[in-house]
Amino acid sequence: MSEDPIIQLREVVKTFGTQRVLDRVNLDIYPGRTTVIAGGSGQGKSVTLKLILGLMKPDSGSILVHGRDITTMNRREMNEIRSHFGVLFQGSALLDSLSVFDNVALPLQERTTLGREQIRKKVLATLIQLGLIGHEEKFPAQLSGGMKKRVGLARALQLQPEIMLFDEPTTGLDPEKTMEIYRLFHETQGKFGYTAIIVSHDIPKVFNLADQVVVLNRGKLVTFDNPEDIQLSQIPEIQAFVKATMGHLYLSSDLE
Amino acid sequence: MLLQRIENIGELTLYYLHDLGRMGLFLLRTLRGGVQQPFRFRAMLRQIREIGANSMGVIFFTAAFTGMVLGLQGYYTLRKFGSEGMLGSAVSLSLLREMGPVLTALMVTGRAGSAMCAEVGIMRNSEQIDALECMAIDPFRYLLMPKFLATMISLPLLTMVFNVVGIFGGYLAGVKLLGVNPGAFFNGMEQSVVNKDIIMGLVKSLVFGLLIVWICTGRGYFVHQIRGAGYGAEAVSRVTTQAVVISSISILLWDYILTAILL
Ligand SMILES: Nc1ncnc2c1ncn2[C@@H]1O[C@H](COP(=O)(O)OP(=O)(O)O)[C@@H](O)[C@H]1O
Ligand SMILES: [Mg+2]
């Protein structure tokens, strides 16, 4: 890969109390590509995303975005960096007190100087694209899990992020909704050309989207430049993990 | 055994110091959020309705009965010294200086403080606060500042309502039920209440307002970092209980301190 990585994790360590969640982790993420971070529950996938977003600080090591270390940045510099990011949180993290429309409009209202009418047009365009039209007056509590994800995606895309982070975008969704989210992911990545980081424990489904798969296991990251290589890994935990999730593939294709 | 115990005490002390520092920084960041633009005026008005207007019923009820009890108790005590005429001044001074600010603050803690703590805790728990940060929207300006201002505006106003209703309750019990001379009731009040009493009540209600909103939103904001709280919905419920207890105790503690300073 000749290009420079857009995000680099260098010897990152993160502990909570006595629990070492990330143990000298290294990771390079290249522009325009899709990286899947896989691993069992509680292995530190969400923590890794939060470190990249600067929501947490590592105990040691550095995290570079466009070559600049975010671990030493102040709030203003961090906000500047964050304008490159869009995030779809695990539970979508929509603001409960705002309607679907206001949730999607929020980044435009707060971060741009656009007028009311311009914001309305932009929001409606996104809502149409994500199949949310007719739901704009609803509140998050009235939406299904899959619909919340779509609203979350709409909100994250408003400021045309360069990098999109997805925290378990399909966990808890049925196979049909899962395919729908991945279809929207494809569509929006095609349109906006963002770099994607997807956290998922559903390896089979993301196999064909991923340019690189990394597996988090006991604080260590194992990188597979070719996703197929995962199945050849000699690490017992990864073998077990692959076996568990591949078995899941069998089951879900049997059902279909 | 002994070493273990000393270690536990040391750890606990460190935790409380850490917690205090964290809450201090939280307050500073909120105050800084207050001077940042744009100021969310409408959000603040909504919070005033939530914290202030919606507490009126509770305040009315509490104030009326507090005033009536003060009227009854005051009457029987004062009659022993043959000075029932002092009832108006006794009732109004107790209300303005102590009962009004303290009881209003305790009621608001129970009604609005607990709700604010749970709301912020749920927002932290469901990553809504993280989402704000990721959109480069300062949660202190966007979320917390309207709550701080609304509470500090609402509490003095509610306290005044409490005082007026309470005095009327005292009048009802003393004059209407027990037959104290109405002229003496209001005359005594007028002669004994001075500006200082009103200012004292006002200062107290402002300080209590700050304590309530600071403790309740702060507990919710740090819901995952509170010792023994755990995660998820359970953590929110534990932390909300804790916020109400700490807030109530702080109100009573600061009531004593402020009385000692201001008397
Ligand atoms: N704020 C926190 N405080 C303490 N421990 C945490 C915190 N966030 C995560 N952890 C711990 O770190 C580990 C990894 O968490 P997480 O990254 O959420 O896992 P997952 O891979 O399922 O997303 C878990 O054991 C969790 O208990
Ligand atoms: Mg997670």
Side-chain angles (χ1 to χ4, degrees), chain A:
Chain A
M1 300 189 195
S2 54
E3 281 171 296
D4 289 332
I6 193 166
I7 297 174
Q8 294 169 281
L9 271 62
R10 289 280 165 268
E11 300 289 307
V12 170
V13 176
K14 181 71 187 175
T15 51
F16 292 110
T18 55
Q19 182 193 14
R20 180 160 287 210
V21 178
L22 298 180
D23 188 11
R24 297 165 61 117
V25 160
N26 290 290
L27 176 64
D28 287 340
I29 288 170
Y30 290 89
R33 289 167 199 273
T34 300
T35 301
V36 169
I37 303 179
S41 170
Q43 294 294 333
K45 303 183 296 292
S46 298
V47 168
T48 307
L49 290 190
K50 287 189 177 154
L51 287 169
I52 293 174
L53 289 165
L55 293 170
M56 285 179 182
K57 297 247 182 243
D59 302 343
S60 65
S62 51
I63 298 167
L64 311 176
V65 177
H66 284 303
R68 295 169 62 205
D69 190 354
I70 62 165
T71 58
T72 54
M73 281 188 178
N74 63 27
R75 192 159 295 278
R76 177 166 307 158
E77 293 169 316
M78 198 59 231
N79 280 344
E80 203 275 312
I81 290 285
R82 279 183 182 140
S83 61
H84 300 286
F85 288 118
V87 195
L88 177 55
F89 284 92
Q90 190 162 348
S92 303
L94 305 174
L95 296 192
D96 289 325
S97 55
L98 299 182
S99 68
V100 167
F101 182 93
D102 289 333
N103 260 295
V104 179
L106 183 66
L108 296 172
Q109 286 163 351
E110 293 283 330
R111 302 293 302 163
T112 69
T113 52
L114 296 178
R116 270 178 99 85
E117 199 44 40
Q118 283 168 299
I119 290 179
R120 216 180 76 87
K121 277 202 191 114
K122 266 183 89 100
V123 171
L124 287 180
T126 317
L127 291 179
I128 289 171
Q129 195 194 358
L130 294 187
L132 287 164
I133 220 70
H135 300 290
E136 57 269 35
E137 299 295 319
K138 289 190 181 157
F139 283 85
Q142 299 169 285
L143 302 177
S144 69
M147 207 129 56
K148 276 190 205 169
K149 301 264 181 188
R150 280 189 273 158
V151 180
L153 185 58
R155 179 178 70 180
L157 291 173
Q158 282 309 297
L159 298 177
Q160 274 130 32
E162 190 181 359
I163 306 159
M164 271 294 301
L165 296 92
F166 300 81
D167 195 355
E168 311 215 9
T170 60
T171 300
L173 298 184
D174 59 38
E176 200 181 319
K177 294 271 163 48
T178 301
M179 289 325 289
E180 159 135 0
I181 291 290
Y182 283 128
R183 186 180 58 75
L184 287 173
F185 164 70
H186 249 309
E187 251 179 57
T188 54
Q189 194 183 33
K191 184 172 173 211
F192 296 100
Y194 52 71
T195 306
I197 304 175
I198 305 178
V199 162
S200 174
H201 52 228
D202 202 3
I203 300 186
K205 293 258 167 52
V206 290
F207 243 27
N208 38 4
L209 319 167
D211 297 307
Q212 128 176 292
V213 174
V214 296
V215 179
L216 250 182
N217 183 50
R218 296 196 176 187
K220 294 290 185 190
L221 250 185
V222 189
T223 306
F224 300 92
D225 284 326
N226 181 358
E228 310 283 334
D229 293 347
I230 261 194
Q231 297 165 91
L232 308 174
S233 168
Q234 294 303 308
I235 301 170
E237 281 94 351
I238 294 185
Q239 278 178 349
F241 177 70
V242 168
K243 209 173 147 196
T245 48
M246 290 302 181
H248 177 71
L249 173 72
Y250 255 101
L251 278 179
S252 55
S253 57
D254 282 351
L255 286 173
E256 276 158 18

Side-chain angles (χ1 to χ4, degrees), chain B residues 85 88 171 174-176 179-189:
Chain B
Y171 168 83
V175 177
K176 293 287 173 202
V180 173
N181 181 306
F185 186 91
F186 284 112
N187 234 345
M189 189 168 109

